[in-house]
Amino acid sequence: MFCKKLEYKDLGVTLPEIYEQMGYGDATNPDIDSNVCDDVRKEVDAVLSEVADFLEPELCFYLTKGELAEEDGGRYTLTTNGKTFDIGKIIYRQLKGSSLFAFFVCSAGMKFQEYQERLKAEDDMMKEFTANAIGSVLAEKTADIMERELEALVQPTNMFHTNRFSPGYCGWHVREQKLLFSTFPIDNPSGVQLTESCLMMPIKSVSGVVGVGQSVRKLEYTCGLCDFANCYKRRIQKKKIFTKSKNLKTPIV
């Protein structure tokens, strides 16, 4: 198992990524900054300056063998260490060809959770909204580093990895968070705990699985295959399409 604690400077967070999460368009658009008003820019800078000193992101993953199966009744499963996940057809197809599976948990850290709770208690809605957007970026950037660490581990064996997939997306029910966490050889990987409703605490955390093998590849997220309307990847795609035709001065909602 591989676990690593990070600092804010390790994440490589960019302002366009935060603005995109806040709804100002595509982070790859060089003009995205022109869509953001001065007050929002100042708020983002202020939150970043506060969290940079105490942020403690953490990642944890382990590699294991597993077996994918298409069963009767349209059930698509991944079985590993005597435990079977109902991952659904979409994820099954993306993982097909994997010989190993990396289960992971990544988090922006409990100190960031405590910071968000303090902002909520102070009833500063703008700052709370800004911190929420930044926290989502922090968690995803931590997961990005997890993928790079995984890549460095498997490349010497001429293997590649797929996209990462999480319970709650692409037909994989969120209730299987508990099963996923139970496969880890340690309690609370990356300092993350689960509530009875399978909510991760700290909230700004990401968990899931990545397929590893010689014939798999990481692809662009294929939102056309998925019917989950509230997926954050789908929302990002909608923003990209919308901002091609409009020069927005206010966030997309």
Side-chain angles (χ1 to χ4, degrees), residues 211-228:
V212 175
Q214 292 185 335
S215 62
V216 301
R217 295 290 187 276
K218 182 176 180 179
L219 306 172
E220 288 293 326
Y221 279 93
T222 51
C223 294
L225 298 176
C226 181
D227 58 2
F228 184 44

Side-chain angles (χ1 to χ4, degrees), residues 15 19 22 24 33 36-50 115 126-127 130 134:
L15 291 176
Y19 297 151
M22 296 177 76
Y24 285 99
D33 188 68
V36 185
C37 67
D38 289 340
D39 287 343
V40 171
R41 278 195 286 267
K42 290 178 181 177
E43 195 72 76
V44 170
D45 290 343
V47 172
L48 288 177
S49 66
E50 289 181 0
Y115 174 73
M126 182 58 197
K127 200 167 188 179
T130 303
I134 290 174

Side-chain angles (χ1 to χ4, degrees), residues 122-159:
E122 293 173 356
D123 200 27
D124 189 335
M125 293 183 64
M126 182 58 197
K127 200 167 188 179
E128 186 182 351
F129 168 75
T130 303
N132 183 68
I134 290 174
S136 295
V137 174
L138 296 174
E140 291 298 327
K141 296 292 278 189
T142 304
D144 289 344
I145 293 178
M146 177 278 300
E147 285 193 28
R148 293 200 291 272
E149 295 286 359
L150 173 62
E151 188 174 276
L153 181 66
V154 302
Q155 270 192 343
T157 59
N158 295 317
M159 290 197 290

Side-chain angles (χ1 to χ4, degrees), residues 29 47 49 59-60 69 99 133 166 174 209 215 217 228 233:
N29 181 356
V47 172
S49 66
L59 62 91
C60 189
S99 56
S166 300
V174 69
V209 65
S215 62
R217 295 290 187 276
F228 184 44
K233 290 292 183 182

Side-chain angles (χ1 to χ4, degrees), residues 190-211:
S190 296
V192 180
Q193 301 181 44
L194 285 180
T195 67
E196 284 300 315
S197 60
C198 297
L199 178 69
M200 288 184 287
M201 295 295 290
I203 294 174
K204 297 305 181 182
S205 301
V206 184
S207 66
V209 65
V210 178

